[in-house]
Structures are given as C-alpha cells and as structure tokens.
Amino acid sequence: MSDYDDVDSGSHLPPSSAVSSSPAVVEFVSNSGVLPTTVSSLIRQPGTTLWEIPTLIVPPTCRVDQLIVGFIQDCRRLSQLESLDNILRPSRVNVKNFLEYHPASPSTEPPRCQLADLDRAASTTVTGPGAKHPMAELITALVNKAGVTNVIERLAVFAITQRAIAWLVHPTLEAYQAIVPELTPKPCQTRIPHPQWVDLILWAPLRTAIIERQELYANEEFQGVYSSSLRLISWAARPIDALVVDPQSGEMWLSDTFTAHAMRLENWRLNENFVRRYPELRGCVAVEGS
C-alpha cells in the first residue's frame, strides 16, 4: 500500500486473525452485522491488557476514515522494520502550515502522505523551514475535510488527535496514558462495528449514541456539524500564545501549557448549532454557555 487511497474496500484489509499478533487496536469487520469471534476471544485473553483491547471497526465509509485507517495501517507495516517514535512521538511538530483553514474541495482530494514519506520521517527528525511532518499532514487533511475552521480549535484538535492516533497505531501503556482519558474505549466500541472516526469523538455518551444509531449519525453530515461546532473555552490568551515560535527557522509548535489545556474535556463545548440540528443528543455533550 503506497497511500491512503488503498483502503477504500475491505479487500485491502488484513485478516482479523492477525490482530492479536500485530501492533493494532482496531479490528475490521467486512459485514457490520457479524461480530468475529476473534474480538471476543482477544478481550477474554488473560494476557490482554486494557490498553490493547481493540475497537471494532468497519472498512472506511468516508474520506476521513480512509485517511485515518490508511495512516494507521501504513504505520503498522513500517513498525515491523523500524521505530516509529519520530512519527508518533516527536519532540515537537511544526504546525505553521496547519494554522490556515482550507476547505476541502469536492474535486480535490485532501493531501496524502505516502508510505515512502512515513519511512523517511521515521528515519530522521523532521525539522527545518517548509518541512512537513506526516502527522501534521494527516491531521491537516482531517480537520480541513471535517470542517474545523477556527484557529484555536484546530490547534487544540491537533493535540488530541496526535495522541489518539499514536495509541491506535501502537497501543502501549505509555500511549494509552497520553490520550484524553474520555477517549478510552467504552464497551460498545469493542462490541459493535463502527467507523474509525467515531473513536475520536470527545464525549463518550455521544460515541455510544452514534454507534447504537449509526443509520442516523454515522455519516458525513453529522461529522461536519460536530466538527464545526467544537469550541475550546477558558483559553483567555490569544491563539499565538498557544504556540512556541523559533525566531530563526519560523517553526511553530504547541506550547505545553496550551496542550495541557486542550487535553482537559471540561474545556470543550459544542455550540448551539449542534443541538439545534440534533436536539435529542443535548444530554450527551457539554453545550456552549453551560
């Protein structure tokens, strides 16, 4: 597989029997009405730790899913050959190109990172003017496609998504402890097949509602309304204060203070646009002004 487009169908996906021996926390189900026995047996295995229990997902259902699943699978392949620390846990990632929102065009696909780019990034530290880190490229494509437009929310989503993707690729205790605690999978995520993007929804009750009523909520319209409604609260400083800037190279990366702020669920809300569209889900989320 050379790029993310190769995950359009289940025919490209690894067999479910490979899950217990690979660094994965997802299990594919080609028929969403059938639960494979490998998942329940994996969960019951005495040696399976909490952070290794897989979420149960279906093949990609939309472009956002294609990007996430393609990146995860390419990283897993590469992990058989070399360390992924420079990709998953870099000391810093230049987010300068991430600041501006560029709406996804129906006729233009989001940028794709090829396996060769991941290999190059895994072998070297990605720095310098104009350098593009694969994780930054992935999350830029995700937030542009989903419709996260405000700068401060884009930066905050970056902090959360980077850590969540790192855990999905390589489910170690360290990676598990680094994610937003509320993103730890709930029982329905390990029992009911669902799109991968649902695992990144911040509020656990909302994830449960989506998974249990996928015919209503597991679609791109919901994805767009949710993403555009995200609001980070209680950050009194300016967006630029969320960044550390290298005056020599012009590189920018998230400050530790801002990252810590973004990683706390109590600092997140959805605005009224979300509850106007989905009033029945008001009780599943924190609404702006509450």
Side-chain angles (χ1 to χ4, degrees), residues 86-287:
N86 285 338
I87 296 175
L88 303 181
R89 287 171 289 277
S91 58
R92 65 193 194 198
V93 177
N94 185 7
V95 296
K96 186 174 182 178
N97 295 330
F98 184 75
L99 298 179
E100 294 185 9
Y101 169 61
H102 298 285
S105 168
S107 59
T108 305
E109 294 181 348
R112 298 171 299 177
C113 180
Q114 297 189 351
L115 187 57
D117 297 319
L118 290 173
D119 188 17
R120 192 159 43 248
S123 304
T124 60
T125 302
V126 184
T127 60
K132 296 181 179 180
H133 191 282
M135 187 69 80
E137 291 287 281
L138 169 68
I139 301 176
T140 298
L142 293 179
V143 297
N144 285 346
K145 179 64 176 175
V148 182
T149 59
N150 296 333
V151 171
I152 201 68
E153 279 78 31
R154 288 169 67 85
L155 293 173
V157 165
F158 186 96
I160 291 172
T161 305
Q162 177 186 358
R163 288 157 179 77
I165 294 294
W167 173 65
L168 288 169
V169 171
H170 193 203
T172 63
L173 174 59
E174 178 187 12
Y176 183 80
Q177 291 175 332
I179 66 175
V180 173
E182 288 75 10
L183 281 182
T184 56
K186 300 306 175 186
C188 67
Q189 292 172 256
T190 62
R191 291 187 290 103
I192 303 174
H194 58 276
Q196 181 80 83
W197 63 265
V198 178
D199 294 330
L200 301 181
I201 295 292
L202 279 175
W203 289 271
L206 185 57
R207 292 199 300 275
T208 298
I210 297 169
I211 291 171
E212 292 180 346
R213 299 296 304 276
Q214 293 184 49
E215 72 281 4
L216 292 179
Y217 306 127
N219 53 60
E220 290 187 274
E221 180 195 2
F222 181 96
Q223 194 180 93
V225 174
Y226 168 84
S227 299
S228 62
S229 299
L230 281 170
R231 294 294 180 268
L232 185 74
I233 65 169
S234 303
W235 180 255
R238 301 168 301 168
I240 191 63
D241 296 321
L243 301 168
V244 177
V245 182
D246 185 325
Q248 300 299 320
S249 67
E251 287 186 74
M252 301 178 179
W253 57 93
L254 300 184
S255 71
D256 292 342
T257 301
F258 178 76
T259 297
H261 185 85
M263 296 293 288
R264 298 174 64 89
L265 185 65
E266 58 264 36
N267 292 328
W268 285 95
R269 298 288 188 274
L270 289 178
N271 68 18
E272 284 291 339
N273 290 336
F274 180 84
V275 293
R276 275 198 295 268
R277 176 62 182 85
Y278 302 104
E280 70 278 12
L281 297 177
R282 176 182 284 271
C284 297
V285 301
V287 180

Side-chain angles (χ1 to χ4, degrees), residues 1-6 63 66-67 70-78 82 84 87 109-122 126 132-135 137-138 141:
M1 181 184 297
S2 61
D3 59 47
Y4 301 162
D5 280 342
D6 290 338
R63 186 58 181 161
Q66 291 172 356
L67 291 167
F71 185 90
I72 291 171
Q73 291 200 338
D74 278 353
C75 283
R76 289 182 197 145
R77 289 185 177 89
L78 195 58
E82 55 189 305
L84 298 182
I87 296 175
E109 294 181 348
R112 298 171 299 177
C113 180
Q114 297 189 351
L115 187 57
D117 297 319
L118 290 173
D119 188 17
R120 192 159 43 248
V126 184
K132 296 181 179 180
H133 191 282
M135 187 69 80
E137 291 287 281
L138 169 68

